[in-house]
Amino acid sequence: LRIASILAALVATSSLMDILGFQLAMFLLLCFLFLVLGKQTLWASLTLSLFGSVGVYHLFSRYLDVSLPMAALPLLSAIGL
């Protein structure tokens, strides 16, 4: 059941990444993994997810020059997601 939920979360993340952008999709994935599967507290999950998604984005985009998807929704793309 855990493996199926991880696979479903990965499929959902990959399908939403073009719409929501890398940072928000990764944030939601990490929140799910920490809260549901990792059984972390809400604050720990939100904090780790925020730093994890923003940190990985900046590592790949700034230092490794990898192009990651930006949000397709105008509201999200206007704030840099």
Side-chain angles (χ1 to χ4, degrees), residues 22 54-68:
F22 177 83
V54 172
V56 168
Y57 177 79
H58 285 293
L59 173 73
F60 277 88
S61 65
R62 285 193 179 169
Y63 300 114
L64 299 176
D65 291 328
V66 175
S67 177
L68 296 171

Side-chain angles (χ1 to χ4, degrees), residues 26-37:
M26 188 57 59
F27 175 78
L28 294 174
L29 172 68
L30 290 175
C31 278
F32 173 76
L33 293 176
F34 286 135
L35 282 172
V36 176
L37 300 176

Side-chain angles (χ1 to χ4, degrees), residues 2-72:
R2 288 176 68 97
I3 293 173
S5 61
I6 292 171
L7 287 174
L10 288 172
V11 168
T13 300
S14 66
S15 63
L16 290 174
M17 199 169 288
D18 287 333
I19 299 167
L20 299 177
F22 177 83
Q23 290 181 19
L24 188 55
M26 188 57 59
F27 175 78
L28 294 174
L29 172 68
L30 290 175
C31 278
F32 173 76
L33 293 176
F34 286 135
L35 282 172
V36 176
L37 300 176
K39 298 180 177 76
Q40 299 293 322
T41 64
L42 177 65
W43 291 110
S45 297
L46 292 176
T47 304
L48 290 171
S49 299
L50 180 66
F51 285 120
S53 62
V54 172
V56 168
Y57 177 79
H58 285 293
L59 173 73
F60 277 88
S61 65
R62 285 193 179 169
Y63 300 114
L64 299 176
D65 291 328
V66 175
S67 177
L68 296 171
M70 299 295 285

